[in-house]
Amino acid sequence: MSTERGSDVGFHRRTFLKFVSAAGAAAVVPNDVWAKDEPASRPAGAGVQQLAKFPEKTDLLLLTDRPPQLETPLKYFKTDLTPNDAMFVRWHLAGIPTSVDLDTFRLTVGGHVERPLSLSMADLKMFKAVSVVAVNQCSGNSRSLFEPRVPGGQWQNGAMGNANWTGVPLRDLLSAARVKGGAVEVSFQGLDRPPLPVTPAFIKALAFDRANDGEVLVAYAMNDQPLPMLNGFPLRLIVPGWYATYWVKALNEINVLDQKFKGFWMDKAYRVPDNPECEESPGKLAKVTVPISSMLVRAVFVTEDGRHFPAGDAPAEVEGIAFDGGSGIKQVDISVDGGKNWSPARLGEDLGKYSWRRFNFPLRGKGRLTVMARATSNSGQTQRATQNWNRSGYARNIIETIDVTVG
């Protein structure tokens, strides 16, 4: 595994801004791209989609350039692991890091501890390394498909990816810092900075038991390579099974707290109704909300909506991916008759309970078929026939549907 780079790593801000300007003038992709490469399950009226190429990235779908929000085309989900240059990008603050001097970079672990730490990258790599394959999914993935529509980044189904993350268990760092008794939460901050003093810094927090469970990682490698700058180089928090809001990028500060953390990104943002399906209605908004956490089960088609399989085309089959918040996928069922009958899809390799599993299903009918996919997790959670709705457009959990033609 290669995880080394030069001492001053990244793209300097002038270079980055040049890329941003280029993104603003990026080619607008005509509507027929959807028929060739992308599923057409997009919001009504989305006739064009803009592609942009940022440093270390292939052409991705552009939502915003400052801060960068870049969506992965679904064609990159036809493999178990998402290529690093195709992993989606989501930053909250405009002041993102564009270069890091590894000679001076330090990760600090402090707060309610007996032995505060200031760790270089070399120090971190003295700890035992572990790896986990895990889905990284934005809370608002598929927000553009919610009805009624809600504000926020209008992601389709590409604000996610699956990667093999390598790093140090957070528990080992907390142990080295000798956490004092009475620890309640652990907070995390990265190198990104607010554009104005009144803008809240992006700081997230985990309950101490979750932070110390041995599964949360401080990762320095993604698919056996250093993290791309736009995905959090040099360090990123990995919280397997939870939405990506907790996966703090460019992580450089960890603080153990003896009381509950108070901050905008926990107390005001990224909150959902306090029920298992994160559900409320436009006419009756939930009075009680909680921070979003574990991902809901879902299956997503990779086969494009509107696909035509010519007669004799072998094989005529649909394919997709399925995942949940950490129990793993038990089965994916497919219906071609509007949900009256269901048959099991073939599942791909199981890379672990936090990874997605690819699925495929041969189509035996002819003519136009409406194909539905329903995932079931090992914990028994399954997708619902109607969309769970909330004001933020989080945690989509509906049975996915596409139309295809065979013959």
Side-chain angles (χ1 to χ4, degrees), residues 67-69 89-93 96-97 192 229-232 249-250:
Q69 295 186 83
V89 174
R90 168 58 163 128
W91 290 84
H92 297 82
L93 305 175
I96 69 170
D192 50 328
M229 185 69 62
L230 286 173
N231 292 120
K249 296 180 290 295

Side-chain angles (χ1 to χ4, degrees), residues 7 154 176 193 210-213 222 277 284 301 332 334:
S7 61
Q154 296 301 302
R193 291 293 179 261
R210 178 64 168 118
N212 199 45
D213 66 4
M222 173 179 167
E277 294 187 321
K284 190 177 181 180
F301 283 110
V332 175
I334 303 294

Side-chain angles (χ1 to χ4, degrees), residues 135 137-139 206 210 215 239-247 270 272-273 275-278 290-298 323-328 353-354 377 379 381 388 394-397:
V135 174
Q137 181 185 209
C138 179
S139 307
L206 295 172
R210 178 64 168 118
E215 294 193 321
V239 187
W242 283 30
Y243 287 99
T245 178
Y246 295 95
W247 296 39
Y270 287 101
V272 291
N275 59 66
E277 294 187 321
C278 305
V290 295
I292 195 169
S293 56
S294 180
M295 293 188 293
L296 300 186
V297 67
R298 68 179 309 195
F323 55 93
D324 77 329
S327 72
K353 64 182 183 178
Y354 293 117
S377 69
S379 67
Q381 188 184 71
N388 60 324
Y394 291 155
R396 180 173 166 86
N397 182 232

Side-chain angles (χ1 to χ4, degrees), residues 216-230:
V216 177
L217 294 184
V218 174
Y220 46 73
M222 173 179 167
N223 296 330
D224 295 333
Q225 295 295 325
L227 299 163
M229 185 69 62
L230 286 173

Side-chain angles (χ1 to χ4, degrees), residues 342-402:
W342 296 87
S343 300
R346 293 192 297 258
L347 294 180
E349 183 179 359
D350 185 351
L351 298 181
K353 64 182 183 178
Y354 293 117
S355 171
W356 67 37
R357 292 191 73 176
R358 291 188 294 133
F359 67 85
N360 59 69
F361 184 83
L363 299 172
R364 297 182 177 86
K366 291 190 178 296
R368 180 169 177 170
L369 302 173
T370 296
V371 188
M372 305 169 70
R374 182 183 66 196
T376 302
S377 69
N378 287 317
S379 67
Q381 188 184 71
T382 191
Q383 289 170 276
R384 44 186 288 158
T386 57
Q387 173 64 57
N388 60 324
W389 187 93
N390 56 69
R391 73 195 82 172
S392 299
Y394 291 155
R396 180 173 166 86
N397 182 232
I398 192 174
I399 293 172
E400 299 286 351
T401 301
I402 59 172

Side-chain angles (χ1 to χ4, degrees), residues 16-341:
F16 176 72
L17 292 176
K18 179 176 69 174
F19 273 92
V20 169
S21 298
V28 174
V29 181
N31 196 40
D32 61 4
V33 148
W34 294 98
K36 295 176 181 177
D37 295 317
E38 310 303 336
S41 55
R42 62 194 190 280
V48 295
Q49 193 72 8
Q50 193 174 31
L51 292 174
K53 190 167 187 175
F54 278 61
E56 300 181 302
K57 290 293 176 181
T58 188
D59 289 338
L60 299 178
L61 305 175
L62 177 67
L63 273 72
T64 63
D65 52 19
R66 296 187 188 180
Q69 295 186 83
L70 308 172
E71 179 170 347
T72 304
L74 295 194
K75 64 184 178 182
Y76 291 106
F77 299 157
K78 294 187 177 184
T79 58
D80 287 327
L81 301 179
T82 307
N84 286 10
D85 65 351
M87 179 67 75
F88 85 101
V89 174
R90 168 58 163 128
W91 290 84
H92 297 82
L93 305 175
I96 69 170
T98 56
S99 65
V100 176
D101 183 351
L102 295 185
D103 289 336
T104 60
F105 173 83
R106 295 294 184 271
L107 171 68
T108 62
V109 183
H112 193 62
V113 300
E114 295 179 356
R115 184 174 178 260
L117 305 178
S118 179
L119 303 170
S120 67
M121 292 298 292
D123 294 332
L124 279 169
K125 292 178 182 180
M126 295 295 290
F127 288 83
K128 181 181 179 180
V130 301
S131 297
V132 62
V133 179
V135 174
N136 175 27
Q137 181 185 209
C138 179
S139 307
N141 192 25
S142 313
R143 180 183 286 121
S144 67
L145 306 179
F146 274 62
E147 292 292 345
R149 296 287 293 277
V150 297
Q154 296 301 302
W155 301 101
Q156 297 170 63
N157 285 336
M160 62 179 176
N162 194 43
N164 184 26
W165 310 93
T166 301
V168 181
L170 177 59
R171 180 171 62 188
D172 291 355
L173 300 181
L174 297 175
S175 176
R178 299 176 188 169
V179 174
K180 298 177 182 178
V184 174
E185 290 194 336
V186 182
S187 69
F188 308 90
Q189 185 173 6
L191 294 171
D192 50 328
R193 291 293 179 261
L196 298 171
V198 296
T199 304
F202 188 77
I203 304 175
K204 299 295 291 190
L206 295 172
F208 181 78
D209 287 348
R210 178 64 168 118
N212 199 45
D213 66 4
E215 294 193 321
V216 177
L217 294 184
V218 174
Y220 46 73
M222 173 179 167
N223 296 330
D224 295 333
Q225 295 295 325
L227 299 163
M229 185 69 62
L230 286 173
N231 292 120
F233 181 86
L235 298 174
R236 182 170 195 170
L237 192 70
I238 306 300
V239 187
W242 283 30
Y243 287 99
T245 178
Y246 295 95
W247 296 39
V248 175
K249 296 180 290 295
L251 177 68
N252 75 321
E253 185 175 336
I254 299 172
N255 277 303
V256 180
L257 308 172
D258 60 358
Q259 57 187 336
K260 193 171 179 63
F261 174 77
K262 298 293 183 182
F264 175 82
W265 298 100
M266 295 297 297
D267 297 338
K268 301 294 184 181
Y270 287 101
R271 297 181 71 88
V272 291
D274 188 13
N275 59 66
E277 294 187 321
C278 305
E279 186 174 22
E280 58 189 347
S281 67
K284 190 177 181 180
L285 298 179
K287 295 181 180 180
V288 179
T289 63
V290 295
I292 195 169
S293 56
S294 180
M295 293 188 293
L296 300 186
V297 67
R298 68 179 309 195
V300 175
F301 283 110
V302 175
T303 300
E304 60 271 18
D305 189 34
R307 170 79 180 270
H308 177 219
F309 296 93
D313 189 21
E317 65 178 21
V318 292
E319 59 181 319
I321 52 177
F323 55 93
D324 77 329
S327 72
I329 294 300
K330 179 181 180 181
Q331 65 190 63
V332 175
D333 293 309
I334 303 294
S335 175
V336 295
D337 60 6
K340 296 177 182 177
N341 296 285

